[in-house]
């Protein structure tokens, strides 16, 4: 199981067949400590899928709620239309309607 996670250059003996000065395989005493470090490193890695990142800011939470994945809705369009209506009325009131509050024209 762990042997499938170890890169092949580390887990296999030397590829140099002509060099007979080092006839030991990877399980030799010199390589055993190094191999054990590699195995322990791979054993400590987390298994399974990575957890989904949590939205942090206001815009990220809004996107996660209304726009991402299965949560796609038309509410952002409704929010934009409502925002334009509110800003339009505020603009109209400030530049025109407040002058006609107490007297007609």
């Amino acid at each position: 199981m762990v042997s499938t996670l170890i890169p092949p250059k580390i887990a296999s003996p030397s590829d140099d067949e002509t060099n007979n000065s080092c006839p030991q395989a990877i399980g030799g005493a010199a390589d055993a400590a190094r191999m054990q470090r590699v195995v322990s490193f791979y054993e400590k890695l987390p298994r399974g899928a990575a957890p989904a990142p949590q939205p942090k800011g206001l815009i990220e939470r809004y996107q996660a709620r209304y726009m991402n994945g299965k949560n796609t809705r038309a509410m952002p369009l409704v929010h934009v239309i409502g925002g334009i209506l509110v800003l339009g009325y505020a603009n109209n009131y400030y530049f025109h309607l407040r002058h006609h509050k107490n007297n007609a024209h």
Side-chain angles (χ1 to χ4, degrees), residues 31-44:
D31 293 328
R34 183 182 64 165
M35 193 63 192
Q36 184 57 39
R37 286 195 311 265
V38 171
V39 170
S40 65
F41 169 76
Y42 279 101
E43 285 176 344
K44 292 176 187 173

Side-chain angles (χ1 to χ4, degrees), residues 37-77:
R37 286 195 311 265
V38 171
V39 170
S40 65
F41 169 76
Y42 279 101
E43 285 176 344
K44 292 176 187 173
L45 291 177
R47 290 177 177 79
Q54 295 295 324
K56 292 178 180 67
L58 181 67
I59 295 173
E60 288 182 4
R61 286 194 308 262
Y62 185 82
Q63 284 178 338
R65 184 170 183 181
Y66 294 112
M67 298 179 190
N68 292 344
K70 297 184 287 186
N71 298 330
T72 305
R73 300 178 190 159
M75 285 306 291
L77 184 61

Side-chain angles (χ1 to χ4, degrees), residues 89-99:
Y89 181 78
N91 190 15
N92 199 11
Y93 178 81
Y94 181 76
F95 288 110
H96 184 72
L97 296 177
R98 72 181 177 148
H99 301 295

